[in-house]
């Protein structure tokens, strides 16, 4: 890689980390980024040692962050800098070496091999961790939230918002489109390029014909005032003058199941299109009233619980279940404005420090859910109720691991 290519990568990563931290610091500042920090020993050159990206957290600890595109590129000098800055400043908790998601498989394996040797102690290193850009973002997010003392609920909300704003930043990063068009020969590392590539390729369009990409997570609310299913809208301007729109529902979770929404029994019955006097409709209302199987048994006895289960399981056809699942996942079927109904679902599962991203078309995803082993009531959902909503609505939870 030429010096100009290295400089381009440095500029690209600098833009990436600045954007990620800007998203992380909204609406409340959790950490501070200082670029090109210099340190030196007392009585010697005060600028001798270098930290490209110094991140200070709410607990006053600091991460020294270095970046590179190749395991062969400047690693020894980065080790030397990291060793000395940690000796000089006791607030430096650890040093990271971050590589872009878009590197070749050969380079990735070289990074992973060195990272493993550092972890198992066979290679002495003043750089504590070697991670990909997407892994680093996850680790940085968790550290920032933990050091700020955010509650579990607040952290969960932030993860979701950060994911949505991160998708917008990823899709609008011009370097990603350049990288996609040019391929691995491009000196543009991009920003969360692997995620960008998955989202674009899901559409099965000719990337060479994309002129520009705009994205937003500022979606109008439903007429009722609540949020719709669309979290991010991506618009592709094509060379022939047309525009392609991609409406995405974003789900991010640390668990194998995620809450998708809550609805009143009357709404569920209306969307299903079943007779309000049918056993299935009566059973849905009974479940809403009680909120759980144990509460149903307490009020109506075991026969009442059996009635609810059997009436819903036998009273809903595959077409009914498709209608219900499509509505729950995408919003279609509830007379919502088109902008609020998602055509794609993007799921991020955080497994340790390695996030896994998957994107599905709604029809594909609905059929996949229906083809899996049912959860409760013969449906692809767990039935429960949100806090304080017993007797007023039913909350559905769906699998995110498939």
């Amino acid at each position: 890689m030429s010096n100009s290519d290295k400089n381009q990568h440095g500029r690209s990563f600098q833009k990436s980390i600045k954007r990620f931290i800007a998203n992380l610091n909204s609406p409340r500042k959790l950490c501070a980024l200082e670029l090109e920090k210099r340190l030196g020993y007392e009585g010697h050159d005060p600028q001798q040692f270098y930290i490209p990206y110094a991140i200070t957290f709410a607990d006053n600890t600091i991460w020294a962050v270095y970046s590179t595109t190749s395991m062969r590129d400047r690693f020894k000098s980065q080790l030397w800098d990291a060793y000395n800055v940690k000796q000089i400043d006791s607030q430096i908790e650890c040093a990271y070496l971050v590589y872009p998601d878009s590197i070749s498989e050969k380079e990735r394996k070289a990074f992973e091999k060195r990272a493993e040797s550092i972890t198992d102690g066979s290679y002495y290193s003043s750089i504590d961790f070697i991670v990909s850009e997407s892994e680093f973002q996850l680790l940085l997010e968790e550290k920032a939230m933990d050091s700020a003392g955010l509650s579990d609920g607040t952290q969960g909300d932030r993860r979701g918002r950060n994911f949505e704003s991160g998708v917008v930043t990823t899709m609008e990063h011009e370097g990603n489109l350049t990288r996609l068009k040019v391929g691995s020969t491009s000196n543009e590392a991009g920003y969360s390029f692997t995620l960008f590539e998955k989202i674009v390729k899901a559409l099965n369009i000719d990337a060479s014909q994309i002129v520009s990409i705009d994205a937003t997570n500022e979606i109008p609310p439903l007429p009722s005032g609540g949020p719709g299913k669309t979290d991010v809208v991506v618009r592709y301007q094509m060379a022939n003058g047309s525009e392609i729109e991609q409406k995405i529902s974003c789900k991010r979770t640390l668990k194998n199941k995620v809450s998708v929404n809550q609805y009143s029994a009357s709404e569920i019955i209306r969307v299903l299109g079943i007779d309000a006097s049918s056993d299935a409709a009566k059973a849905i209302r009974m479940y809403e009233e009680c909120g759980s199987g144990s509460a149903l048994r307490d009020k109506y006895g075991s026969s009442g619980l059996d009635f609810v289960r059997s009436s819903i399981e036998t009273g809903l056809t595959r077409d009914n279940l498709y209608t219900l699942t499509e509505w729950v996942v995408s919003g279609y079927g509830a007379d919502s404005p088109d902008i609020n109904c998602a055509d794609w679902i993007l799921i991020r599962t955080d497994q340790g420090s390695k996030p896994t991203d998957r994107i599905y078309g709604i029809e594909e995803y609905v059929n996949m859910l229906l083809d899996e082993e049912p959860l409760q009531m013969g449906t692809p959902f767990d039935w429960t109720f949100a806090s304080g909503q017993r007797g007023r609505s039913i909350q559905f939870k769906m699998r995110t691991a498939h």
Side-chain angles (χ1 to χ4, degrees):
M1 181 179 285
S2 68
N3 285 333
S4 64
D5 288 345
K6 293 175 185 177
N7 291 336
Q8 173 60 32
H9 166 256
R11 289 192 296 270
S12 179
F13 184 76
Q14 185 178 120
K15 288 180 182 177
S16 296
I17 195 169
K18 287 171 71 175
R19 288 180 180 182
F20 184 78
I21 288 179
N23 288 337
L24 194 59
N25 282 337
S26 177
R28 171 186 166 186
K29 186 173 182 178
L30 302 182
C31 59
L33 173 65
E34 182 180 353
L35 301 175
E36 300 183 355
K37 183 180 179 70
R38 294 280 181 175
L39 296 91
Y41 289 100
E42 187 175 351
H44 298 274
D45 182 355
Q47 296 191 332
Q48 183 174 354
F49 303 107
Y50 179 54
I51 307 175
Y53 315 96
I55 304 173
T56 303
F57 298 96
D59 60 4
N60 292 319
T61 57
I62 298 171
W63 281 7
V65 182
Y66 301 83
S67 68
T68 185
T69 58
S70 173
M71 198 64 250
R72 301 179 300 277
D73 179 32
R74 297 179 295 165
F75 184 55
K76 291 295 178 68
S77 65
Q78 291 169 329
L79 285 173
W80 180 240
D81 276 327
Y83 173 80
N84 284 282
V85 298
K86 288 163 84 174
Q87 297 298 311
I88 294 167
D89 190 343
S90 61
Q91 288 182 297
I92 296 176
E93 181 179 62
C94 55
Y96 279 86
L97 179 64
V98 183
Y99 58 88
D101 290 342
S102 56
I103 58 172
S104 68
E105 187 62 24
K106 180 180 178 180
E107 288 287 359
R108 185 183 304 281
K109 287 181 178 179
F111 279 111
E112 290 175 347
K113 182 177 180 181
R114 178 63 73 216
E116 184 178 348
S117 68
I118 291 172
T119 300
D120 66 23
S122 61
Y123 186 92
Y124 178 80
S125 174
S126 51
I127 287 178
D128 303 281
F129 305 101
I130 299 176
V131 294
S132 69
E133 183 179 27
S134 56
E135 290 176 275
F136 176 72
Q137 290 175 358
L138 179 58
L139 291 164
L140 173 57
E141 179 184 55
E142 294 304 308
K143 167 64 178 178
M145 292 193 297
D146 286 343
S147 66
L150 301 186
S151 67
D152 290 345
T154 301
Q155 288 194 24
D157 290 341
R158 274 202 175 241
R159 287 189 193 98
R161 289 198 303 270
N162 290 344
F163 185 37
E164 293 167 16
S165 57
V167 170
V168 171
T169 301
T170 297
M171 300 312 297
E172 291 196 322
H173 193 286
E174 293 181 359
N176 282 333
L177 183 55
T178 301
R179 174 84 185 193
L180 186 63
K181 287 183 175 182
V182 176
S184 59
T185 59
S186 172
N187 62 7
E188 174 59 66
Y191 174 82
S192 298
F193 178 75
T194 303
L195 174 60
F196 173 86
E197 187 177 36
K198 284 184 180 181
I199 292 173
V200 176
K201 286 191 173 181
L203 284 172
N204 196 28
I205 58 177
D206 185 353
S208 68
Q209 298 303 300
I210 302 173
V211 176
S212 63
I213 301 174
D214 299 307
T216 183
N217 58 343
E218 296 181 1
I219 312 300
L222 292 166
S224 63
K229 290 298 181 179
T230 302
D231 297 307
V232 172
V233 176
V234 185
R235 295 184 175 94
Y236 303 81
Q237 305 302 323
M238 307 302 290
N240 64 4
S242 66
E243 179 181 270
I244 297 174
E245 185 176 77
Q246 193 176 25
K247 297 176 296 175
I248 305 173
S249 171
C250 299
K251 297 294 180 187
R252 182 181 179 187
T253 181
L254 303 174
K255 303 177 181 178
N256 290 329
K257 294 178 184 176
V258 62
S259 298
V260 279
N261 219 328
Q262 62 189 55
Y263 310 92
S264 68
S266 60
E267 286 181 290
I268 296 170
I269 293 165
R270 178 183 62 80
V271 169
L272 285 169
I274 59 177
D275 189 328
S277 62
S278 66
D279 283 351
K282 181 180 178 181
I284 293 169
R285 289 192 293 267
M286 287 172 65
Y287 194 94
E288 177 187 58
E289 177 189 7
C290 297
S292 68
S294 58
L296 266 165
R297 185 185 294 108
D298 290 343
K299 182 163 186 176
Y300 294 104
S302 295
S303 61
L305 176 59
D306 291 341
F307 169 80
V308 168
R309 285 175 174 166
S310 63
S311 295
I312 295 174
E313 289 176 4
T314 61
L316 300 184
T317 65
R318 170 86 181 203
D319 286 345
N320 290 143
L321 291 175
Y322 187 96
T323 299
L324 174 68
T325 307
E326 181 186 40
W327 173 52
V328 171
V329 172
S330 72
Y332 283 110
D335 299 323
S336 300
D338 184 71
I339 191 66
N340 296 118
C341 298
D343 298 311
W344 300 85
I345 183 165
L346 174 64
I347 300 174
R348 166 165 289 183
T349 306
D350 295 331
Q351 301 168 330
S353 64
K354 293 182 181 292
T356 301
D357 296 317
R358 290 158 294 147
I359 186 168
Y360 305 93
I362 291 298
E363 182 178 358
E364 174 193 9
Y365 193 67
V366 169
N367 281 313
M368 184 171 69
L369 289 175
L370 293 178
D371 288 339
E372 292 177 342
E373 186 71 21
L375 291 177
Q376 290 183 330
M377 313 296 176
T379 73
F381 306 111
D382 279 342
W383 294 46
T384 183
F385 61 94
S387 177
Q389 294 298 307
R390 185 194 291 267
R392 288 186 283 180
S393 64
I394 297 170
Q395 184 181 70
F396 292 125
K397 294 184 176 182
M398 71 178 186
R399 291 187 181 98
T400 56
H402 304 285

